[in-house]
Amino acid sequence: MFETQYLDTVRATFKSQKQLAERALVQVSDEDLHKTLAPNTLSLALIIQHMANNMKSRWTDFLTTDGEKPDRNRDAEFEDQHLTREELMKVWDERWQLLDDVLADLTPDDLGKNVMIRGEAHSVIDAIERQVSHYGYHVGQIVYLSKLFAGSDWDVLSIPLPHQRK
């Protein structure tokens, strides 16, 4: 059944995104988590904070409440809370687990429903795909920043570039 295959595929995609980000994050120092490259840019910690809070808002009561919760303070997500690596990764893991639990509980019939995001109706599939894209965008930022901060100590996460192969 297409719906079941879709849900399995999207869960695997999110799991892969999470793992890719984590393989990058372990390569940077705790200090580098809070470093920015220039004014008005995001640190790794801010990206993690934002993603975690977005996940909480979007996936809590996914089918029954607006994905933009009234108690979400999006602006605060972009202020460094000076969380430790352990604190950041704890909330990171909790929110990815929330996401996976919601997807695991969705039924094929749920895919035909609509959900609200900021007062606008979206199909469940559209809402999921928006988050696949959104999280993929931020995971790319995490990988890029981690690679810059790790420098020559960087362990390639995929196929090495031709000049990096031995």
Side-chain angles (χ1 to χ4, degrees):
M1 176 178 266
F2 166 78
E3 293 86 353
T4 303
Q5 183 179 8
Y6 172 76
L7 289 168
D8 290 344
T9 299
V10 85
R11 285 179 74 197
T13 298
F14 280 125
K15 180 178 180 179
S16 176
Q17 289 178 341
K18 179 181 187 286
Q19 291 172 340
L20 182 63
E22 290 171 352
R23 290 176 47 221
L25 289 166
V26 298
Q27 297 189 53
V28 299
S29 70
D30 291 356
E31 179 181 295
D32 285 340
L33 290 173
H34 299 275
K35 188 185 298 183
T36 59
L37 296 179
N40 299 315
T41 62
L42 301 178
S43 68
L44 291 164
L46 291 179
I47 296 167
I48 293 167
Q49 284 175 191
H50 167 64
M51 288 181 70
N53 286 304
N54 175 277
M55 287 178 190
K56 180 180 180 188
S57 187
R58 292 293 183 269
W59 300 104
T60 299
D61 303 321
F62 174 64
L63 293 174
T64 58
T65 64
D66 193 299
E68 188 68 17
K69 303 298 184 277
D71 63 344
R72 180 180 182 196
N73 184 353
R74 188 175 183 281
D75 291 347
E77 296 168 17
F78 298 102
E79 296 171 11
D80 195 334
Q81 305 300 315
H82 303 287
L83 300 175
T84 65
R85 178 185 297 269
E86 292 74 23
E87 292 167 326
L88 287 166
M89 298 315 291
K90 180 179 184 293
V91 72
W92 169 267
D93 285 335
E94 289 170 356
R95 303 299 162 70
W96 281 100
Q97 188 62 56
L98 168 65
L99 162 59
D100 191 60
D101 290 346
V102 169
L103 293 175
D105 288 343
L106 290 179
T107 67
D109 288 341
D110 290 331
L111 295 181
K113 296 178 180 177
N114 283 334
V115 294
M116 301 300 286
I117 301 174
R118 295 188 181 130
E120 185 179 322
H122 297 271
S123 72
V124 166
I125 291 175
D126 182 46
I128 292 169
E129 290 298 315
R130 286 170 56 123
Q131 295 313 104
V132 168
S133 176
H134 183 206
Y135 301 156
Y137 170 82
H138 288 306
V139 167
Q141 290 177 311
I142 289 170
V143 171
Y144 184 74
L145 288 172
S146 296
K147 184 175 182 176
L148 288 176
F149 295 147
S152 62
D153 293 331
W154 178 253
D155 288 328
V156 176
L157 303 178
S158 61
I159 300 168
L161 297 172
H163 68 277
Q164 296 172 319
R165 297 182 196 137
K166 294 182 182 190

